[in-house]
Amino acid sequence: MAYKLLNGKEISGQIKTEISEKVKKNIAEGGKRPHLAAILVGNDGASETYVAHKVKACEQAGFKSGLFRFDNKVSEKELFDKINEINNNDDIDGLIVQLPLPEHISEEKVIQFINPKKDVDGFHPVNAGRMTLGLPAYISATPQGILELIKRNGIETSGKHCVVIGRSNIVGRPLSILLSQKNETGNATVTLCHSRTKNLKEISRHADILIAAIGKEGFVSKDMVKEGAVVIDVGIHRVKSDKTKSGWKLKGDVKFDEVAPKCSYITPVPGGVGPMTIVSLLKNTLLAAEKKIYG
Ligand code: NAD
């Protein structure tokens, strides 16, 4: 089958332009320049890269951004003091704390300490709850980006069987909820699979839209995919390569080479879901600056 690539790089570029135009317009009309603050703890290579991409995307879209760095030994108290300061700074619209955090710091407590009105990652229980009920909320960036990628490629979700593999709070679970909601990017029949699912292959083989958010490189093989399916690969894995200058390359949760020929659409890794995640964070920050969610 001739498959089409779901080009997240290209679509996210269009969205970034739309966002920066909206920012210019808002400022010309006396509105506020969106301002995103990011907190980074430690020196994890992947986290450094993600935060650097987010800060760069802010600059490209005409946002203000601030990066607050702490070393691995930072106490919860120091972190909470910084979050408190940002929560109370009227110029800062959105705050993200890059995960994972060191073991001695409770991610749950940190997320709950962020003011839900500034929680542009959409991880706070208030936003997760409002999203679940279909109320205005910051929707977490990866699920939001995936839905936008599906929508902008004219892929119908209504009445389709969507199989999501992975039930994390930041990807699989919210995605399963959003796809089942009664709206333009929902109305699907959703099966959420996870590490305790039996007969996973039998289930995934029935998916019209298969979303892999497992965190295991090359987990999805061709025998797990129906002919003509739409396959969305959320996974990001750095694997060693002697074909690149850096000595590594990015791979996903799907065995792209063998799965793609069975698909109608498939996301590449890199250049699929990743860039869509970043523009969705910008979108949420713009909504925060415009006070569109909480007024
Ligand atoms: P996670 O580790 O929190 O969750 C993985 C899920 O996969 C779990 O719910 C688990 O039940 C399920 N799982 C594990 N083994 C399984 C098995 N054998 N069979 C069925 N299900 C199984 O991961 P996450 O945070 O959701 O991230 C998933 C992947 O997506 C990672 O590779 C991560 O790096 C990547 N990611 C990418 C983006 C992006 O912007 N592209 C954003 C977030 C995460």
Side-chain angles (χ1 to χ4, degrees):
M1 183 164 209
Y3 63 87
K4 286 191 186 143
L5 277 184
L6 294 169
N7 191 335
K9 199 173 171 199
E10 191 181 301
I11 292 180
S12 67
Q14 290 162 11
I15 297 172
K16 221 182 274 173
T17 306
E18 291 164 17
I19 293 173
S20 62
E21 277 163 10
K22 187 77 196 329
V23 170
K24 276 185 209 147
K25 185 169 175 278
N26 286 355
I27 291 170
E29 290 169 357
K32 182 179 181 309
R33 186 180 293 282
H35 185 172
L36 177 71
I39 292 181
L40 175 62
V41 180
N43 304 91
D44 173 69
S47 293
E48 297 254 5
T49 309
Y50 295 145
V51 169
H53 282 153
K54 289 169 188 176
V55 168
K56 189 171 162 211
C58 280
E59 283 165 15
Q60 289 168 339
F63 290 16
K64 271 209 260 181
S65 65
L67 175 59
F68 301 95
R69 302 192 67 133
F70 293 91
D71 73 37
N72 252 319
K73 295 199 178 84
V74 66
S75 68
E76 265 189 2
K77 161 99 177 53
E78 275 175 273
L79 214 49
F80 286 163
D81 285 347
K82 179 50 83 180
I83 296 172
N84 194 33
E85 184 190 311
I86 295 171
N87 279 343
N88 290 308
N89 181 336
D90 287 342
D91 190 58
I92 298 178
D93 304 296
L95 165 62
I96 56 168
V97 178
Q98 185 66 41
L99 303 179
L101 291 170
E103 268 181 21
H104 68 281
I105 294 173
S106 159
E107 289 186 358
E108 210 172 286
K109 270 165 73 182
V110 165
I111 289 168
Q112 294 195 30
F113 203 70
I114 297 172
N115 179 347
K117 294 181 182 176
K118 299 195 179 191
D119 165 44
V120 286
D121 261 336
F123 295 162
H124 192 286
V126 168
N127 282 308
R130 288 172 67 112
M131 179 277 291
T132 302
L133 297 174
L135 296 171
Y138 297 118
I139 293 171
S140 62
T142 304
Q144 186 185 154
I146 291 170
L147 294 183
E148 194 65 26
L149 193 59
I150 289 175
K151 184 174 147 191
R152 291 199 184 218
N153 279 280
I155 297 167
E156 185 62 76
T157 52
S158 180
K160 296 290 166 64
H161 184 201
C162 293
V163 174
V164 180
I165 314 179
R167 58 179 160 187
S168 73
N169 285 340
I170 62 168
V171 188
R173 189 181 311 284
L175 200 49
S176 71
I177 293 165
L178 292 162
L179 283 162
S180 71
Q181 275 169 342
K182 195 173 178 179
N183 59 32
E184 198 194 350
T185 51
N187 287 322
T189 304
V190 183
T191 307
L192 181 59
C193 298
H194 45 76
S195 51
R196 304 288 175 92
T197 298
K198 287 189 178 149
N199 304 326
L200 178 61
K201 214 176 271 189
E202 300 309 314
I203 299 168
S204 67
R205 267 210 293 248
H206 286 104
D208 301 310
I209 300 175
L210 179 63
I211 298 169
I214 308 138
K216 292 191 172 150
E217 197 249 309
F219 183 90
V220 175
S221 47
K222 65 178 177 188
D223 54 336
M224 296 173 72
V225 179
K226 183 169 88 172
E227 197 71 39
V230 174
V231 173
I232 310 281
D233 189 351
V234 185
I236 304 179
H237 309 276
R238 273 186 192 209
V239 297
K240 281 191 181 157
S241 168
D242 50 18
K243 292 193 180 108
T244 61
K245 254 194 207 164
S246 61
W248 53 267
K249 63 178 178 179
L250 292 181
K251 293 255 201 178
D253 283 354
V254 176
K255 287 192 172 80
F256 184 91
D257 292 344
E258 64 172 62
V259 170
K262 291 188 88 175
C263 299
S264 53
Y265 292 90
I266 185 168
T267 54
V269 176
V273 174
M276 295 302 295
T277 296
I278 294 185
V279 286
S280 302
L281 177 68
L282 295 182
K283 257 191 179 174
N284 282 348
T285 308
L286 176 60
L287 289 172
E290 294 175 331
K291 306 216 177 310
K292 286 262 173 75
I293 303 290
Y294 288 96

